Each structure stands twice: as structure tokens, then as C-alpha cells.
Amino acid sequence: MEEIKDLPQLSAAELRVLGSLLEKSKTTPEYYPMTINSLQSACNQKTSRKPVVSYDENTIITTLDLLKKRGLVSTVVGGGSRVTKYKHNLAIHFPLLPSELAALCLLILRGPLTAGEINSNSGRLYEFETLDEVLELLNKLSIDEPPYVKQLPKRPGQKEARFVHLFGEVNEEDYDLPQIANHNDSQVQALEDKVAILEEQLHALRTEFDKLIAELT
């Protein structure tokens, strides 16, 4: 009989780094695994993140080291680049389907969400057919062993119940701060991804240029 693993309890920084790796593995697969530089940009995005953070490079490096020790992240070197890159190992440790990873990714990066919010924001990660499919998935994730999500009690004025992931402590009040509505959220995120990719390409060109100069001198 296969041993049931307990879910790791991750810090806010660990959750942000892991969630960003999950997201970019789907939205920008051509630049995944990720460098520290691109991962820092992903963590500090101003869209599709709650709360918005401003992690420095040292925070990213320290957090990656903690996730590596947990076995949730591994390094990749090669493919014509000497730069160390990072990828998540979540699906290796837990039997999660792509649809389940997509829902968990949104909950990790955005905080408590309703099934409708998951359905409307999942397009770049996974295309759900119906809202019922999302509800069935969340129900399955809540009764799995171990459970990956739980349903929060409805509060006064709430029409739909919200769900949270169980990979770390989530204080519901931390996510109650109002945010500016952005009806083009996915377009803004796509633009941010393109900017991050251009920054990554520039960083790689600078590295190659410095290497050439060193060889010529």
C-alpha cells in the first residue's frame, strides 16, 4: 500500500516561488525551467498576484534553497547555457493532474477563490469545460488523502463559497483588502510575461558578451 504523504506547510515566500514556477511552466514553457532573474520578475508581478510583493534576489535564492531541501524544486543545467535554472517537482511528489495543478496554482498565487473565479482565471493554465467541472475538481481535492483544499464558511453577503489551498497557513483577512479592478488582467499578465522574457534574453546576451570579452582579453 502506498504511503500517504502529508502536505508540506510552506511560508509565504515558498508559496509565491512555487506558485510562480507552476504558472510559468504553462504560460511561458519556452522559458521554463526558470532562472533566478526570471523567477524574481514572476514573483513580483503586479497582476495575477495577491498580495503584490517585492522580493529581492537574495530572498529568491534563500527560498529556492528551502524548497530544494523539501524536494519540491530541482535545478537544471545545460541546453547551451551555463546558468542554473529551476523547476518544480510538485507533481512528482503528489499525484496531481494538470487540471488540479492549475486550480492549486491559482489558489496559491491569488488567495481564497470561488469556483467561478477559478474558472474565469484559469484559461492560460487549463481550459475547464464548465463551472461544474471546477466544482467537481475542488470537491475531489477536498476529500483526497491528504486533502489539498478546503471550503471556507460563507460570510455575510457572500453568495459563493471560497476555497483555499492547504499547503500553508492562509489568513482570510489578509486577502480582504480591496484591489483595483482590471478587466484586462490576462492581457496585462501576457504583456508582463513578454517583458520578463525580453529581460531574460537581454541578461543572456550580456552574459555571452562578457564571456566573449573575457576570452578576447
Side-chain angles (χ1 to χ4, degrees):
M1 184 176 177
E2 188 176 349
E3 181 183 355
I4 296 173
K5 296 180 181 178
D6 291 330
L7 293 191
Q9 294 303 288
L10 306 177
S11 68
E14 287 177 298
L15 287 166
R16 179 57 57 90
V17 168
L18 185 61
S20 296
L21 286 168
L22 277 166
E23 180 191 69
K24 300 308 179 186
S25 69
K26 294 297 181 185
T27 60
T28 54
E30 65 272 32
Y31 292 97
Y32 181 85
M34 303 177 73
T35 64
I36 289 172
N37 185 57
S38 60
L39 190 49
Q40 183 181 359
S41 296
C43 288
N44 294 342
Q45 274 186 206
K46 291 180 173 58
T47 58
S48 308
R49 304 284 185 272
K50 200 171 181 180
V52 172
V53 299
S54 183
Y55 292 158
D56 58 22
E57 186 176 294
N58 188 58
T59 300
I60 302 296
I61 292 170
T62 302
T63 304
L64 283 167
D65 188 50
L66 291 171
L67 288 168
K68 279 176 65 181
K69 288 176 180 176
R70 294 180 184 273
L72 294 174
V73 162
S74 59
T75 56
V76 179
V77 180
S81 172
R82 295 182 182 180
V83 179
T84 301
K85 297 184 178 182
Y86 298 84
K87 64 178 183 177
H88 75 82
N89 293 331
L90 195 59
I92 294 174
H93 285 272
F94 300 98
L96 292 162
L97 300 172
S99 57
E100 296 166 342
L101 286 170
L104 287 170
C105 177
L106 290 172
L107 292 172
I108 288 170
L109 291 177
R110 298 177 184 235
L113 298 171
T114 65
E117 288 170 331
I118 290 174
N119 187 45
S120 62
N121 288 296
S122 63
R124 300 183 73 210
L125 298 168
Y126 185 87
E127 284 287 352
F128 291 104
E129 296 294 331
T130 63
L131 180 59
D132 285 342
E133 182 186 358
V134 180
L135 285 166
E136 287 175 16
L137 179 145
L138 290 168
N139 181 60
K140 176 184 177 297
L141 288 174
S142 67
I143 61 174
D144 274 341
E145 286 294 339
Y148 297 96
V149 306
K150 72 175 181 180
Q151 182 176 317
L152 293 172
K154 284 186 185 178
R155 295 191 297 184
Q158 284 185 340
K159 293 182 179 180
E160 292 182 75
R162 297 195 295 175
F163 293 80
V164 293
H165 68 82
L166 296 176
F167 281 94
E169 186 174 344
V170 176
N171 183 355
E172 197 176 350
E173 293 178 0
D174 291 343
Y175 297 89
D176 289 339
L177 296 174
Q179 285 195 315
I180 298 171
N182 187 350
H183 299 294
N184 296 311
D185 193 70
S186 61
Q187 293 178 1
V188 175
Q189 187 188 340
L191 184 59
E192 286 188 342
D193 283 345
K194 288 179 181 178
V195 171
I197 288 168
L198 288 171
E199 288 176 347
E200 187 66 22
Q201 290 173 335
L202 180 60
H203 179 72
L205 285 170
R206 282 176 177 165
T207 302
E208 288 299 316
F209 179 76
D210 290 342
K211 179 182 166 187
L212 281 170
I213 292 297
E215 290 174 352
L216 291 170
T217 55

